[in-house]
Amino acid sequence: MARSQYQPKLPSSLWGAVKAVQGEPTQSVADQEEIKALFPNTYGLPELTFEKDPKQSKLAGAQFNVGVILSGGQAPGGHNVISGLFDGIKAINKANRLYGFLMGPGGLVDHNYVELTSEIIDEYRNTGGFDIIGSGRTKLEKPEQFEKGLVILKELNIKAVVIIGGDDSNTNACVLAEYYKAKNVGIQVIGCPKTIDGDLKNEMIETSFGFDTATKVYSEVIGNIQRDCNSAKKYWHFIKLMGRSASHIALECALQTQPNYCIISEEVEAKNMTLDAIVADIAGVVAKRAAKGDNFGTVLIPEGLIEFIPAMKALIAELNDLLAAHPEFAGLDAAAQREFVLNNLSEANAASFKSLPAGVARQLTLDRDPHGNVQVSLIETEKLLSEMVGNKLKEMKEAGEYVGKFSPLHHFFGYEGRCAAPSNFDADYCYALGYNAAQLVNCGATGYMSSVRNLTKPSVQWIAGGIPITMMMNMERRNGEMKPVIQKALVDLDGKPFNKFASKREEWALNTCYLYPGPIQYFGPAEVCDQTSRTLYYEQGGK
Ligand code: FBP
């Protein structure tokens, strides 16, 4: 109850009347000619920054209605984006209305919606989850879908749609913005950066919302496991962490908890490491700790690891193209599917496929998500690794290189953190993103992402504005075709967060340096309650 009364803090530039200041025209991060040709109406737009408008005493504007969609995986703070958007449009004009499309982008296409009134909004302020309107992974990409959406948008007199989603959903938001602008139907589309994975970020989008809370929740539980581990001193815990491709979540949790080992997929790829090399490295740490009498420890594993092991990456890429070209594959039974794959893959990839335990190999051929991604959260890498480490240790024991006891336990943390009540950081950030999106609608912007920056400073000093989505795009291969997509931000191996980790990991491996962050605190001193993620802290110059 007390938490629902929390009033998120807004950047001071959004207090009262605002004006949009235009920056220079922008360019996409890569493949400029192709992106420009695909987005003739939304390419090259200027960045926008909101400042206080000294000419107006009060925020005011014409009446308009807005639609909102939650897209993709849940992330803490989504309800605050919606409440910020609601308060933002009401501050512009009390008669403005907000409609929520139900269960993701499919709600727009199928005309399932609800009007979000203050009674509904008030129940969800500062809560986790996306249950206010639900979420879904329908991919908005076809003109028929855009046309169906247009019918309901016109019927409800909606001026703008705000799509709260990750890189793929914001890419689709931009495609929709371009379509409506080309048709001149007067409907704007604005995106908001959501994902616990932390991979939707760049110079202008410092972090996606939800990353802060989710990593704090995972770190709390990892800390609890480490305390248990250090008390009983008898288990090795293999902990897989969500995060899809990028290892931002694993890295952030390592910085918060100081485990004995943490794999960073991007490093595995850069060093061209094989699965056997990773296993040998972990087994080496287990053996060194055992030599000191410490038969316990923690290993953090990013969920997307398998895709970054070069041999596996090549295999997955060929499988993606193969499965996209053969829809009949889905109708075969498991044995026939394995046979089909082995017969149709190149020799090298067929050999990699064969070398995997059958269960893991099968998981690589299971249905892709609607964006063509392998569903990495289904692959049990924590079990695969601990089994292989166990085998390696047996060999080492026989060779007299290891004396000890290895009892592994397995965990997967993902869903535990995606709907947690937002930390103060996410509560404020999300509310500001939503409130700011209302200002983007009011100033007529389309094809922009809501951007709030300067995030390690107190929230009053945050910088609010809009970034053209085309600016973040490049061309990538998806479902067998080259497509314009927002460039994913992977862990930067030259970046400060990774370097901090790399400078400490040997010490953390051999000695027991665990940190136990405990639960998120909502009330109390700012240094306890308002801390940003370690990643953001180091990225923005923290020592
Ligand atoms: P988004 O990219 O849509 O934010 O989803 C993030 C995520 O939680 C990933 O970390 C995970 O791999 C995936 O969703 C799981 O998908 P699902 O919710 O369909 O189980």
Side-chain angles (χ1 to χ4, degrees):
M1 183 61 195
R3 184 61 184 164
S4 71
Q5 309 288 315
Y6 174 74
Q7 180 52 53
K9 302 181 273 299
L10 274 180
S12 60
S13 59
L14 294 179
W15 301 350
V18 299
K19 63 172 181 180
V21 179
Q22 291 197 1
E24 295 298 312
T26 56
Q27 293 235 330
S28 59
V29 282
D31 309 311
Q32 288 87 8
E33 287 314 310
E34 285 111 311
I35 309 278
K36 189 175 178 181
L38 290 163
F39 295 89
N41 297 284
T42 48
Y43 187 85
L45 297 169
E47 289 167 24
L48 296 175
T49 309
F50 290 120
E51 289 180 4
K52 269 184 194 305
D53 186 351
K55 292 204 188 111
Q56 283 187 60
S57 58
K58 207 168 153 280
L59 179 62
Q63 196 277 321
F64 59 78
N65 298 338
V66 172
V68 64
I69 297 173
L70 288 165
S71 181
Q74 286 70 253
H79 289 158
N80 271 28
V81 180
I82 296 183
S83 55
L85 176 62
F86 180 84
D87 292 351
I89 64 169
K90 292 286 182 189
I92 292 164
N93 188 319
K94 278 197 167 54
N96 287 347
R97 286 164 176 247
L98 181 62
Y99 293 95
F101 290 100
L102 302 177
M103 300 310 292
L108 175 67
V109 180
D110 300 331
H111 301 186
N112 291 325
Y113 66 89
V114 65
E115 183 179 349
L116 293 168
T117 58
S118 59
E119 290 71 34
I120 299 177
I121 294 283
D122 286 350
E123 261 187 59
Y124 288 91
R125 289 181 191 270
N126 306 310
T127 59
F130 277 7
D131 42 322
I132 187 170
I133 49 174
S135 183
R137 291 198 185 272
T138 304
K139 194 167 162 59
L140 272 187
E141 59 177 352
K142 299 194 186 94
E144 307 87 85
Q145 295 173 310
F146 304 162
E147 287 297 328
K148 279 195 189 165
L150 187 55
V151 173
I152 191 69
L153 294 172
K154 281 188 172 157
E155 197 180 307
L156 298 172
N157 196 20
I158 286 178
K159 170 182 159 78
V161 189
V162 175
I163 299 183
I164 302 170
D167 51 345
D168 287 328
S169 308
N170 274 282
T171 295
N172 297 147
C174 195
V175 174
L176 188 64
E178 175 67 31
Y179 185 87
Y180 288 157
K181 196 151 176 201
K183 282 198 79 174
N184 206 12
V185 290
I187 293 176
Q188 303 156 236
V189 184
I190 301 294
C192 277
K194 168 236 73 166
T195 180
I196 60 162
D197 300 351
D199 57 3
L200 171 46
K201 66 173 172 184
N202 46 57
E203 244 174 72
M204 297 299 166
I205 305 295
E206 294 176 357
T207 187
S208 55
F209 79 76
F211 175 76
D212 185 83
T213 310
T215 51
K216 282 178 175 149
V217 172
Y218 303 144
S219 298
E220 175 198 350
V221 189
I222 295 165
N224 295 348
I225 287 176
Q226 293 191 150
R227 193 74 100 176
D228 191 286
C229 182
N230 201 17
S231 306
K233 304 195 192 292
K234 61 177 179 180
Y235 295 122
W236 268 91
H237 294 267
F238 284 71
I239 306 169
K240 184 173 78 165
L241 292 159
M242 238 187 199
R244 212 190 278 288
S245 307
S247 305
H248 298 292
I249 291 185
L251 176 57
E252 172 65 24
C253 291
L255 292 168
Q256 286 193 38
T257 62
Q258 305 187 175
N260 301 108
Y261 201 93
C262 175
I263 303 173
I264 301 296
S265 306
E266 291 81 345
E267 186 183 25
V268 167
E269 183 173 41
K271 291 188 172 163
N272 214 348
M273 286 174 85
T274 60
L275 195 51
D276 287 342
I278 300 168
V279 166
D281 208 30
I282 301 174
V285 170
V286 173
K288 280 190 194 144
R289 285 179 65 79
K292 300 196 327 172
D294 291 341
N295 287 298
F296 65 93
T298 47
V299 179
L300 305 189
I301 305 156
E303 135 177 290
L305 172 66
I306 210 90
E307 285 185 285
F308 284 79
I309 298 171
M312 295 296 142
K313 191 176 181 173
L315 167 63
I316 291 171
E318 195 181 351
L319 275 174
N320 283 347
D321 290 354
L322 185 67
L323 301 191
H326 292 276
E328 73 279 9
F329 177 84
L332 303 177
D333 65 32
Q337 284 188 338
R338 186 173 169 86
E339 173 120 354
F340 176 89
V341 167
L342 286 172
N343 287 340
N344 286 281
L345 283 177
S346 64
E347 210 176 305
N349 287 335
S352 305
F353 190 79
K354 246 186 172 162
S355 74
L356 290 171
V360 174
R362 177 154 169 71
Q363 277 164 344
L364 292 183
T365 65
L366 293 180
D367 280 352
R368 274 37 189 168
D369 76 5
H371 299 275
N373 304 311
V374 175
Q375 300 195 47
V376 278
S377 57
L378 301 179
I379 301 172
E380 293 180 317
T381 21
E382 68 283 21
K383 292 194 181 147
L384 172 74
L385 282 172
S386 82
E387 196 182 311
M388 291 178 77
V389 168
N391 293 340
K392 179 80 194 166
L393 289 169
K394 268 187 212 142
E395 283 170 30
M396 290 168 70
K397 204 169 238 175
E398 277 160 25
E401 293 162 5
Y402 163 65
V403 184
K405 195 168 173 293
F406 178 65
S407 306
L409 291 177
H410 307 106
H411 314 266
F412 170 38
F413 299 138
Y415 299 100
E416 294 79 352
R418 293 201 313 182
C419 283
S423 59
N424 283 353
F425 173 83
D426 269 329
D428 292 351
Y429 181 45
C430 290
Y431 187 81
L433 284 171
Y435 198 94
N436 183 58
Q439 310 310 316
L440 288 168
V441 174
N442 195 34
C443 76
T446 191
Y448 278 79
M449 195 181 289
S450 178
S451 151
V452 175
R453 294 183 281 134
N454 214 20
L455 294 171
T456 45
K457 295 277 165 6
S459 44
V460 287
Q461 293 172 32
W462 290 355
I463 299 166
I467 306 300
I469 299 177
T470 51
M471 189 181 171
M472 306 168 202
M473 287 191 172
N474 67 170
M475 300 296 292
E476 282 177 27
R477 198 168 182 79
R478 294 289 170 92
N479 282 331
E481 273 177 62
M482 290 306 282
K483 293 260 171 145
V485 290
I486 293 178
Q487 194 174 55
K488 242 188 216 319
L490 299 177
V491 168
D492 176 4
L493 301 179
D494 294 321
K496 291 194 179 139
F498 178 78
N499 281 324
K500 185 81 191 175
F501 161 72
S503 70
K504 296 280 177 190
R505 63 179 155 187
E506 262 180 51
E507 190 190 335
W508 298 349
L510 300 188
N511 305 317
T512 301
C513 309
Y514 302 150
L515 293 180
Y516 316 106
I520 294 175
Q521 302 293 317
Y522 297 103
F523 301 99
E527 67 267 28
V528 177
C529 302
D530 294 345
Q531 263 195 25
T532 62
S533 66
R534 296 278 86 194
T535 303
L536 203 51
Y537 171 80
Y538 292 127
E539 278 174 352
Q540 301 202 354
K543 299 278 177 233

